[in-house]
Amino acid sequence: MKQLYVKYFSVLAISVGLGSCVEHIETDNYQVEKPASIAAQEELNAYGVLRTYVDSVAYPNFKLGGAVEMSQYSSRGVMYRLINSNFDEITAGYGMKHGAIVQANGNMDFSGLNATIEAASAAGTSIFGHTLVWHANQNATYLNSLLEPLIVVSPPFKNELDLSAPMNGAWEGWETSGDVEIASGEGMGEGTDAFMLKSISGSSPESVQLITPDIPVIPGKVYEVIAYVKSDVPGLGGISFEGLSNNNPAIDWMGTGVDSTAFETSISWQEIRFTISDFEGDSFKMKFNFGYTPSASYSIDINNLYVYDTKGDPVISNLIADGDFENGTGWGGWGNDSSRGITEDGMGFGGSGKAFYVTNPSLTGGFWEVQTAYDLAEPLTNGQEYKLSFWVKGDAEGIIRPELQSPDYSSNGFGQVGVTKEWKQVQLSTIATAGDRQRFVISYGEFAGTVYLDNVVLSSAEATGGSTTLVPKTEEEKFSIVSGEFERWMQGMLAASKDYVKAWDVVNEPMDDANPSELKSGIGMSDIPDDLFFWQDYLGKDYAVKAFELAEQYGNPDDILFVNDYNLEYSLEKCQGLIDYVNYIESKGVTVDGIGTQMHISIDSDKEKIVTMFKMLAATGKLIKVSELDVRVNSTNPSSEILQLQREMYKFVAEMYAEHVPAAQRYGITIWGVTDSSDNANWLPGEKQGLWDINLNRKPAYAGFAEGLEGM
């Protein structure tokens, strides 16, 4: 029956002009038809809230979920009310992921999570954990910084510790006990040596000991000691003294703020740095003690073992002042409308500090046509060799050329430097062949784009201090570091959430799209976004096995644990690849409770494949969750016919899920596209994928989904 829209009108007398009027006229009541759009919206509004369409008596474990940003939900505004009235469970769009929780310094901030848990608890709405392990939305800047090479710059002061004997493989002036040797090529730098101390029995700290010669000091002055140590297994080391008022002090060895008589060692080189001043005479000795634990081998880098007067006269200074650019001082330059300056903080090497940049808009006819210049404080010495080191990367690949220049433009070049898109250290040398080389110049004419420079050091090759040692992480070290962060993250997140969150996507999107039987990988990718970190590239195929082990260890015994992936309805090969990987995970002795299929689909998705996917997943016997359902209309201005197609697809998915997944295996359905997206949304900007429009009016899709739920 057609609904009618009724209005009553009366026309009042209206004055027109001066002194004129019309008579009051009565009209009969009359009816007009209600606009179709209003009638349609009223029909949609007559539907109940979504959760009422699920038979909670027959299916008490079925979860109807909605995705929402945690800040929207915890603010307890309109989205909080909409979600709670329609859904049993929420999934955080971003707020529970590594990138949202782990801060730049590695600390974890759970304030947003805690606020969301408090709000959900007040409403009686459960939270589904999304997600523990993923390659995207990670704080990759922090993680990658842990894997950067260790950069060691020796102090620009005289080393009071005489290393001449061990640098030549001799022991003159040194004493040892236990198994101690000079190991060729085992130091931090390429081709450098280390002291190696092997603890067999671990009977006492002094059972494996290295004692230095007398180290001359000036009483009353403060000296800093620097050493770099590592071990083949986790171990303990310590340093005692001869010639101090307290020869066995408790020291803050690594700047942790905690004093102790021993320090921990690992497979990675670690810096030991502390100051001493309580000298009893004009010299002292250090005793390195590594007999604390059995079956451990320790290394002390020889080249970077240092004792120096913190107020002494520098024996070397970087001829480039502010070569790390932290004071915001850049260099001058010219040519080809190029620009230059200092970056924002965080853009320097390793993702920290500042860098100097030069942007050259195009290649030039000569490499010298775009240059920067730094005027040295005084001319260089004729015939002297000079060392140059710096870190460089670009937003493209190309060549730059550093040189030492005279006022007449004659120069000594350091050669061509190939620039890549990743930071790399360059170490070069050249000999000044004139006494008026007083300018350091870099040419950029063979590079189109932006070049970044950091930690630029120019020094005399004769100087013994201020040298730079680059220590890349080994594959073993990277595995250890990533494994540690993997566990630290999962332990932290699960501890913060386990009292309220009882179900998790433990591993998200593991399978590759091009090779659906293989895991995703970042190896070989160029221009990897800042939030991508592929844990599996470091931990291997068993990264998911470890993830489930840790979820069981740090979560609740009865937590429901899922693997989740996308495009399973699009690529049945990927669906099978995921099923095979779940079987592999379980073959390692852990249990995967469920499989999530995201189902970011569109109105023209292949319905036969959707049915086949549900059948394949159901055949695993696992809980099956439609985890991120939304239906795109492929238009920013859809017609009513297109919106009906969207309605039909939402209904179809719900009905096929109910038909092909047995009730005992249905975890539930979560709607990812609760509302349409705004034009500046992070997910599907401008799309009309939701059950509600952007103004929170119900769409035909709402009705279709509600009708599909009636079979649950």
Side-chain angles (χ1 to χ4, degrees):
M1 182 179 70
K2 190 178 290 186
Q3 295 183 349
L4 299 179
Y5 182 49
V6 182
K7 244 189 173 181
Y8 298 92
F9 294 89
S10 62
V11 180
L12 304 178
I14 303 174
S15 300
V16 181
L18 292 174
S20 63
C21 65
V22 293
E23 294 183 2
H24 178 72
I25 303 173
E26 294 286 349
T27 64
D28 293 333
N29 293 339
Y30 67 97
Q31 297 180 334
V32 296
E33 186 174 337
K34 182 183 296 185
S37 61
I38 293 178
Q41 193 62 53
E42 287 183 348
E43 181 180 339
L44 293 174
N45 292 342
Y47 278 77
V49 294
L50 290 176
R51 63 197 306 174
T52 63
Y53 289 88
V54 177
D55 188 344
S56 59
V57 175
Y59 309 111
N61 296 322
F62 183 92
K63 297 288 188 181
L64 184 60
V68 64
E69 291 302 324
M70 292 201 315
S71 59
Q72 277 189 316
Y73 188 82
S74 61
S75 64
R76 308 195 190 195
V78 63
M79 282 302 294
Y80 178 74
R81 297 190 295 275
L82 183 147
I83 291 289
N84 290 334
S85 62
N86 284 277
F87 300 101
D88 310 307
E89 185 169 78
I90 63 168
T91 298
Y94 175 70
M96 294 178 73
K97 294 169 183 171
H98 186 276
I101 300 295
V102 178
Q103 307 303 293
N105 62 0
N107 292 340
M108 299 185 198
D109 181 2
F110 295 108
S111 57
L113 173 62
N114 293 336
T116 302
I117 289 175
E118 183 179 342
S121 178
T125 301
S126 62
I127 297 176
F128 185 88
H130 179 76
T131 176
L132 287 173
V133 180
W134 193 21
H135 65 279
N137 289 169
Q138 309 295 287
N139 190 335
T141 299
Y142 163 72
L143 293 170
N144 285 322
S145 72
L146 303 178
L147 306 177
E148 294 285 358
L150 175 65
I151 303 173
V152 177
V153 180
S154 62
F157 298 94
K158 178 185 176 182
N159 192 352
E160 303 297 343
L161 174 59
D162 185 1
L163 295 170
S164 58
M167 281 186 171
N168 290 291
W171 287 107
E172 183 179 353
W174 295 74
E175 302 174 56
T176 66
S177 62
D179 190 347
V180 182
E181 63 181 45
I182 296 173
S184 177
E186 295 298 323
M188 291 197 300
E190 184 176 352
T192 62
D193 300 339
F195 296 113
M196 183 167 288
L197 303 90
K198 297 179 181 180
S199 177
I200 307 301
S201 64
S203 57
S204 69
E206 296 79 14
S207 63
V208 181
Q209 191 176 64
L210 172 69
I211 304 176
T212 69
D214 284 325
I215 303 169
V217 295
I218 300 174
K221 286 199 167 189
V222 177
Y223 287 75
E224 185 165 65
V225 177
I226 303 174
Y228 290 87
V229 301
K230 72 172 184 176
S231 55
D232 61 346
V233 294
L236 284 175
I239 304 175
S240 57
F241 304 89
E242 181 181 314
L244 304 185
S245 58
N246 180 4
N247 286 321
N248 295 282
I251 291 175
D252 181 6
W253 306 99
M254 298 181 183
T256 62
V258 179
D259 292 343
S260 62
T261 57
F263 48 81
E264 295 181 351
T265 62
S266 72
I267 62 173
S268 295
W269 288 105
Q270 298 180 91
E271 182 185 74
I272 306 297
R273 183 186 290 261
F274 58 92
T275 58
I276 49 177
S277 58
D278 58 331
F279 307 110
E280 291 187 323
D282 57 5
S283 68
F284 78 105
K285 292 183 178 182
M286 293 191 295
K287 302 178 179 181
F288 292 86
N289 305 310
F290 286 99
Y292 288 86
T293 58
S295 304
S297 294
Y298 301 88
S299 299
I300 305 172
D301 184 67
I302 294 177
N303 279 15
N304 290 285
L305 182 56
Y306 235 83
V307 180
Y308 71 98
D309 177 2
T310 59
K311 300 297 184 182
D313 295 327
V315 295
I316 179 176
S317 58
N318 185 0
L319 301 178
I320 308 291
D322 192 26
D324 59 5
F325 307 105
E326 295 309 303
N327 291 328
T329 303
W331 305 334
W334 53 82
N336 197 37
D337 292 325
S338 59
S339 59
R340 61 211 57 81
I342 303 298
T343 68
E344 296 179 0
D345 198 36
M347 295 183 66
F349 167 71
S352 64
K354 301 170 184 175
F356 177 66
Y357 73 88
V358 176
T359 299
N360 180 25
S362 63
L363 299 175
T364 59
F367 66 85
W368 60 87
E369 293 182 21
V370 180
Q371 292 183 322
T372 57
Y374 176 84
D375 291 326
L376 303 173
E378 58 185 40
L380 302 178
T381 301
N382 188 11
Q384 174 68 58
E385 182 180 5
Y386 290 89
K387 299 183 296 183
L388 173 66
S389 69
F390 58 91
W391 287 87
V392 62
K393 78 168 185 176
D395 62 2
E397 296 185 352
I399 294 171
I400 61 174
R401 302 190 189 212
E403 61 187 79
L404 303 174
Q405 193 180 83
S406 296
D408 64 359
Y409 304 114
S410 63
S411 66
N412 297 117
F414 288 92
Q416 297 182 358
V417 175
V419 178
T420 66
K421 294 182 180 180
E422 301 294 331
W423 283 109
K424 73 173 185 178
Q425 188 186 40
V426 177
Q427 294 181 311
L428 306 165
S429 66
T430 192
I431 296 175
T433 58
D436 61 350
R437 302 284 195 246
Q438 60 188 49
R439 175 177 279 187
F440 174 64
V441 172
I442 300 181
S443 299
Y444 307 87
E446 297 165 285
F447 185 97
T450 299
V451 174
Y452 299 90
L453 301 169
D454 202 1
N455 298 328
V456 182
V457 177
L458 177 65
S459 62
S460 167
E462 294 180 350
T464 58
S467 63
T468 299
T469 302
L470 179 67
V471 191
K473 297 289 192 301
T474 65
E475 292 306 310
E476 182 184 12
E477 286 178 276
K478 290 179 180 179
F479 179 86
S480 177
I481 291 167
V482 173
S483 295
E485 282 298 312
F486 192 74
E487 181 165 356
R488 188 178 75 89
W489 154 245
M490 290 192 62
Q491 180 182 10
M493 171 53 86
L494 289 165
S497 61
K498 64 187 294 184
D499 289 345
Y500 198 78
V501 180
K502 309 298 182 182
W504 275 97
D505 282 333
V506 177
V507 175
N508 193 44
E509 300 180 6
M511 309 314 295
D512 187 65
D513 293 306
N515 300 291
S517 63
E518 302 294 331
L519 297 181
K520 275 191 172 73
S521 173
I523 297 173
M525 287 181 62
S526 59
D527 298 325
I528 297 179
D530 291 340
D531 69 339
L532 294 193
F533 187 85
F534 293 83
W535 300 92
Q536 54 268 46
D537 286 345
Y538 300 95
L539 304 181
K541 186 175 182 179
D542 284 5
Y543 87 110
V545 177
K546 186 63 175 178
F548 276 87
E549 289 175 347
L550 294 173
E552 293 174 358
Q553 178 180 348
Y554 294 116
N556 302 294
D558 55 351
D559 282 349
I560 304 174
L561 307 178
F562 284 83
V563 171
N564 185 50
D565 216 327
Y566 66 94
N567 274 2
L568 306 186
E569 76 292 329
Y570 173 78
S571 169
L572 298 179
E573 293 80 8
K574 187 175 184 179
C575 183
Q576 186 60 53
L578 182 64
I579 292 170
D580 292 342
Y581 189 50
V582 168
N583 291 335
Y584 173 81
I585 295 170
E586 293 201 315
S587 74
K588 299 295 183 175
V590 295
T591 299
V592 178
D593 297 308
I595 299 175
T597 174
Q598 293 183 13
M599 298 201 72
H600 298 294
I601 61 175
S602 62
I603 56 175
D604 54 359
S605 291
D606 190 324
K607 292 183 176 180
E608 289 186 6
K609 285 187 176 181
I610 291 173
V611 170
T612 302
M613 175 200 68
F614 280 136
K615 290 180 178 179
M616 291 172 66
L617 295 176
T620 66
K622 301 292 182 187
L623 289 173
I624 306 302
K625 180 188 180 191
V626 177
S627 57
E628 303 180 20
L629 177 62
D630 51 28
V631 179
R632 300 182 303 278
V633 297
N634 307 322
S635 172
T636 57
N637 186 28
S639 64
S640 59
E641 291 78 12
I642 289 177
L643 292 177
Q644 286 302 314
L645 292 175
Q646 185 185 45
R647 171 181 181 156
E648 292 169 9
M649 184 60 80
Y650 268 110
K651 181 179 180 181
F652 177 81
V653 170
E655 288 178 339
M656 294 303 100
Y657 177 70
E659 180 176 338
H660 298 291
V661 178
Q665 291 178 246
R666 294 181 213 145
Y667 178 87
I669 300 176
T670 290
I671 297 295
W672 205 255
V674 173
T675 68
D676 290 345
S677 298
S678 63
D679 291 339
N680 60 354
N682 291 325
W683 175 249
L684 301 179
E687 248 296 346
K688 313 300 181 186
Q689 80 280 17
L691 302 183
W692 286 263
D693 67 21
I694 200 167
N695 296 313
L696 304 185
N697 296 307
R698 291 175 179 176
K699 294 168 54 183
Y702 182 99
F705 186 59
E707 292 162 2
L709 289 175
E710 288 182 312
M712 301 296 175

